[in-house]
């Protein structure tokens, strides 16, 4: 029985990465831009119905809802060659089309305003599924719609579907460039509170690291958005391959998430992918064995998050899942894991088992790849806390000067007071403290100690 997943794409960034994801899925399943199954796509071993459903005339429609407060990106999707792929009823744009002006509070407020109409669409999609497993949310945390409206939708999804999983692909802003969104630290902080409290799993897509990988590994001088989004779509499609090409293990979302997230709040995952190539680099093919792929995945330079994953710091892996695609002999996997353990290539938590889990997955027969084996690592690593520390640091700088606050005070949520900011900062600080506590052997009793300390204070 398929466990269906509904995708929500929010804002400019969410719709752009979502679109690349659907292009990739169509290519992997042999579905044309119009949703019609290609003649060569005769192998029926994949599960298309996790992400698609069939219309009466047999063509495939994505289980996807496209939301934005300004029309530009969605219009470009509707006028592209994929215009007939999506269900037009699932595309929702705000009537006045003015956007959220990169202000979280505006996006959040408009989310509340459009809530009924958006949830009519989501409810209809959910009712059309036999056995809905959860939601994938694509958005960025720094703008207005993806962060503000995204935050509101996360809270509501949690209320409306308390037993369904929510996994997000959240794009973090590029720290190396000066952003044109001056209130980026405010937006990020407020969104991170919701991601901590309302999501079951957050796959962190860090623009800083993606630009670095494009420049250093793929030798692109100035990578364009579409090239970066292509990298993101590879990660997104690889992380869902075991759902779409099911094997004996990890063939549903809960199986993937449960192995990676031992405690509920530490659910921010970083990813790594190898071998990375662009179309122009097919000549640059090397031999790929399972050990090569697994060893490369542990190298910090292949990580798609710009945190110092050095082997000497006291940060460590909580858990690792490697999804290996291609022609693989399971005995090679066992040998590779032994070699990694012997050489201590990865530093693990002191309070639990050192777990590298491996899921083997088939590759799409319809996409020609120059490499025999490729791998995606999804890792729960405590150094992700440095990303949040960076957010708090830039937030504190702005907050100290009360900069740009009037933009937020206009909206209803901040009309009376700014408690929401202080509350979000506190939630994020607690998350950072918990990641640091997870590197120590007494983490198991950390929660009780915190509760006792809080009780004594009050």
């Amino acid at each position: 029985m398929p466990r269906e997943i509904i995708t929500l794409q929010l804002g400019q960034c969410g719709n752009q990465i979502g679109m690349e994801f659907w292009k990739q899925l169509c290519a992997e399943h042999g579905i044309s831009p119009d949703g019609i199954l290609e003649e060569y796509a005769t192998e029926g071993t994949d599960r298309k119905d996790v992400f698609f459903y069939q219309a009466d005339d047999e063509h495939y429609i994505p289980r996807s809802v496209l939301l934005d407060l300004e029309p530009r990106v969605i219009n470009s999707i509707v006028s592209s060659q994929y215009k007939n792929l999506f269900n037009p009823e699932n595309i929702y744009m705000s009537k006045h089309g003015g956007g959220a002006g990169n202000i979280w509070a505006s996006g959040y407020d408009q989310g509340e305003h459009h809530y009924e109409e958006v949830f009519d669409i989501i409810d209809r999609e959910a009712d059309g599924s036999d056995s809905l497993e959860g939601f994938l949310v694509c958005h960025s945390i720094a703008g207005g719609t993806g962060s503000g409206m995204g935050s509101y939708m996360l809270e509501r999804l949690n209320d409306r579907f308390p037993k369904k999983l929510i996994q997000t692909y959240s794009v973090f802003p590029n720290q190396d460039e000066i952003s044109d969104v001056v209130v980026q630290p405010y937006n990020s902080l407020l969104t991170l509170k919701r991601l901590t409290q309302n999501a079951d799993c957050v796959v962190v897509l860090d623009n800083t690291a993606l630009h670095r990988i494009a420049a250093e590994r793929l030798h692109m001088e100035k990578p364009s958005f579409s090239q970066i989004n292509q990298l993101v779509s590879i990660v997104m499609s690889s992380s869902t391959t075991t759902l779409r090409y099911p094997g004996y293990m990890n063939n549903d979302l809960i199986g993937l998430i449960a192995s990676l997230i031992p405690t509920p709040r530490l659910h921010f995952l970083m990813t790594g992918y190898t071998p990375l190539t662009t179309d122009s680099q097919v000549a640059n093919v090397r031999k790929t064995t399972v050990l090569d792929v697994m060893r490369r995945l542990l190298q910090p330079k292949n990580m798609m998050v710009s945190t110092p994953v050095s082997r000497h710091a006291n940060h460590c892996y909580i858990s690792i899942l490697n999804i290996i695609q291609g022609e693989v002999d399971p005995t090679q996997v066992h040998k590779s894991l032994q070699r990694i353990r012997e050489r201590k290539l990865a530093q693990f938590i002191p309070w639990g088992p050192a777990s590298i889990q491996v899921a083997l997955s088939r590759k799409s027969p319809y996409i020609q790849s120059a490499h025999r084996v490729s791998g995606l690592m999804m890792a729960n690593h405590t150094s992700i806390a440095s990303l949040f520390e960076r957010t708090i640091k830039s937030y504190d700088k702005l907050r100290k000067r009360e900069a740009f606050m009037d933009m937020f005070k206009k909206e209803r949520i901040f009309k009376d007071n700014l408690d929401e900011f202080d509350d979000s900062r506190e939630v994020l600080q607690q998350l950072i403290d918990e990641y640091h506590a997870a590197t120590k052997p007494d983490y198991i009793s950390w929660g009780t100690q915190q509760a006792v300390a809080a009780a004594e204070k009050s």
Side-chain angles (χ1 to χ4, degrees):
M1 184 167 71
R3 306 291 319 267
E4 298 95 347
I5 292 171
I6 294 173
T7 308
L8 303 182
Q9 303 168 193
L10 287 139
Q12 177 183 346
C13 174
N15 278 301
Q16 283 171 336
I17 61 174
M19 189 60 230
E20 290 298 325
F21 174 58
W22 288 113
K23 282 181 190 171
Q24 184 76 14
L25 288 200
C26 285
E28 286 186 21
H29 290 292
I31 294 171
S32 76
D34 290 332
I36 296 156
L37 204 61
E38 302 280 13
E39 283 171 14
Y40 56 75
T42 48
E43 288 191 32
T45 51
D46 54 352
R47 276 207 318 221
K48 300 178 187 67
D49 43 7
V50 176
F51 284 98
F52 295 90
Y53 61 90
Q54 279 184 287
D56 291 351
D57 65 351
E58 300 294 290
H59 85 278
Y60 284 91
I61 298 173
R63 299 179 190 278
S64 177
V65 181
L66 287 69
L67 308 169
D68 205 350
L69 296 173
E70 51 129 9
R72 203 174 32 147
V73 175
I74 290 185
N75 282 348
S76 71
I77 293 172
V78 175
S79 55
S80 71
Q81 64 182 116
Y82 289 85
K83 60 178 177 284
N84 298 329
L85 183 65
F86 297 98
N87 177 354
E89 291 178 339
N90 286 13
I91 296 174
Y92 184 81
M93 288 182 283
S94 142
K95 307 277 184 295
H96 69 79
N102 288 326
I103 306 291
W104 182 93
S106 169
Y108 189 86
D109 220 44
Q110 291 186 58
E112 210 169 334
H113 183 66
H114 299 299
Y115 161 73
E116 289 296 335
E117 294 160 81
V118 170
F119 267 84
D120 281 349
I121 299 173
I122 295 172
D123 285 340
R124 190 186 68 244
E125 280 297 320
D127 294 342
S129 316
D130 292 336
S131 163
L132 177 68
E133 184 168 29
F135 298 91
L136 284 190
V137 180
C138 307
H139 69 130
S140 93
I141 71 163
T145 307
S147 69
M149 192 175 178
S151 295
Y152 187 79
M153 291 302 156
L154 281 172
E155 290 175 351
R156 287 287 152 266
L157 281 172
N158 238 348
D159 293 345
R160 200 81 166 246
F161 303 96
K163 295 217 165 70
K164 303 299 178 201
L165 290 171
I166 299 177
Q167 177 173 5
T168 75
Y169 289 90
S170 302
V171 177
F172 281 59
N174 189 346
Q175 302 283 347
D176 294 342
E177 289 176 1
I178 293 171
S179 166
D180 50 353
V181 182
V182 284
V183 290
Q184 189 172 281
Y186 291 156
N187 296 341
S188 304
L189 183 90
L190 292 160
T191 312
L192 282 167
K193 173 190 166 184
R194 273 72 190 179
L195 289 174
T196 306
Q197 294 181 336
N198 300 96
D200 295 293
C201 169
V202 175
V203 178
V204 174
L205 302 165
D206 182 8
N207 258 336
T208 321
L210 292 169
H211 276 82
R212 189 201 67 226
I213 286 172
E216 290 174 14
R217 319 279 297 154
L218 301 175
H219 311 296
M220 298 174 183
E221 274 187 25
K222 280 205 168 166
S224 66
F225 274 135
S226 65
Q227 286 167 319
I228 296 290
N229 291 346
Q230 214 177 343
L231 287 180
V232 170
S233 72
I234 291 171
V235 169
M236 288 175 71
S237 69
S238 304
S239 64
T240 57
T241 44
T242 54
L243 315 176
R244 297 178 288 116
Y245 296 93
Y248 301 110
M249 282 171 66
N250 302 99
N251 48 15
D252 57 3
L253 195 56
I254 186 79
L256 278 178
I257 291 177
S259 58
L260 280 164
I261 299 169
T263 56
R265 281 163 46 122
L266 306 186
H267 58 240
F268 290 82
L269 305 181
M270 43 176 83
T271 55
Y273 186 85
T274 187
L276 277 172
T277 52
T278 52
D279 304 339
S280 59
Q281 278 189 314
V282 178
N284 174 5
V285 175
R286 49 179 176 239
K287 185 173 183 288
T288 51
T289 65
V290 177
L291 178 60
D292 274 342
V293 164
M294 283 170 73
R295 190 190 282 135
R296 271 197 209 107
L297 286 175
L298 288 168
Q299 290 172 351
K301 62 183 177 196
N302 282 326
M303 293 306 271
M304 295 190 175
V305 171
S306 59
T307 60
V309 188
S310 71
R311 291 175 187 157
H312 311 297
N314 60 356
H315 280 296
C316 50
Y317 285 102
I318 297 172
S319 55
I320 294 178
L321 172 67
N322 284 343
I323 297 175
I324 308 287
Q325 291 173 277
E327 306 159 32
V328 179
D329 174 4
T331 54
Q332 287 180 312
V333 174
H334 189 68
K335 279 182 191 159
S336 309
L337 284 172
Q338 255 178 328
R339 190 79 57 85
I340 284 169
R341 274 204 195 102
E342 283 161 13
R343 298 200 177 156
K344 293 196 166 60
L345 290 181
Q347 191 92 27
F348 277 93
I349 43 170
W351 47 268
S355 67
I356 293 190
Q357 298 178 50
V358 179
L360 299 181
S361 168
R362 296 195 301 271
K363 270 188 168 174
S364 163
Y366 315 124
I367 292 184
Q368 294 308 310
S369 160
H371 298 101
R372 283 181 42 214
V373 185
S374 59
L376 171 82
M377 171 165 80
M378 297 177 80
N380 197 342
H381 195 280
T382 58
S383 73
I384 197 123
S386 63
L387 209 60
F388 308 139
E389 283 162 354
R390 222 183 293 165
T391 303
I392 281 194
K393 203 171 145 192
S394 32
Y395 162 77
D396 284 345
K397 269 186 199 165
L398 281 187
R399 185 65 204 272
K400 207 163 69 186
R401 304 201 309 271
E402 293 278 320
F404 312 114
M405 273 299 172
D406 47 338
M407 300 180 181
F408 283 79
K409 286 177 184 165
K410 281 180 204 157
E411 303 297 338
R412 209 178 56 211
I413 186 169
F414 293 107
K415 214 165 214 148
D416 304 326
N417 55 41
L418 299 172
D419 290 356
E420 187 56 47
F421 276 119
D422 304 329
D423 194 29
S424 300
R425 192 191 185 289
E426 195 180 325
V427 168
L428 197 53
Q429 189 57 57
Q430 283 171 349
L431 180 69
I432 292 168
D433 295 343
E434 187 163 347
Y435 268 113
H436 285 301
T439 62
K440 301 182 175 67
D442 63 351
Y443 172 63
I444 299 294
S445 56
W446 179 82
T448 344
Q449 290 161 7
Q450 293 293 103
V452 170
E456 283 170 2
K457 262 187 196 173
S458 58

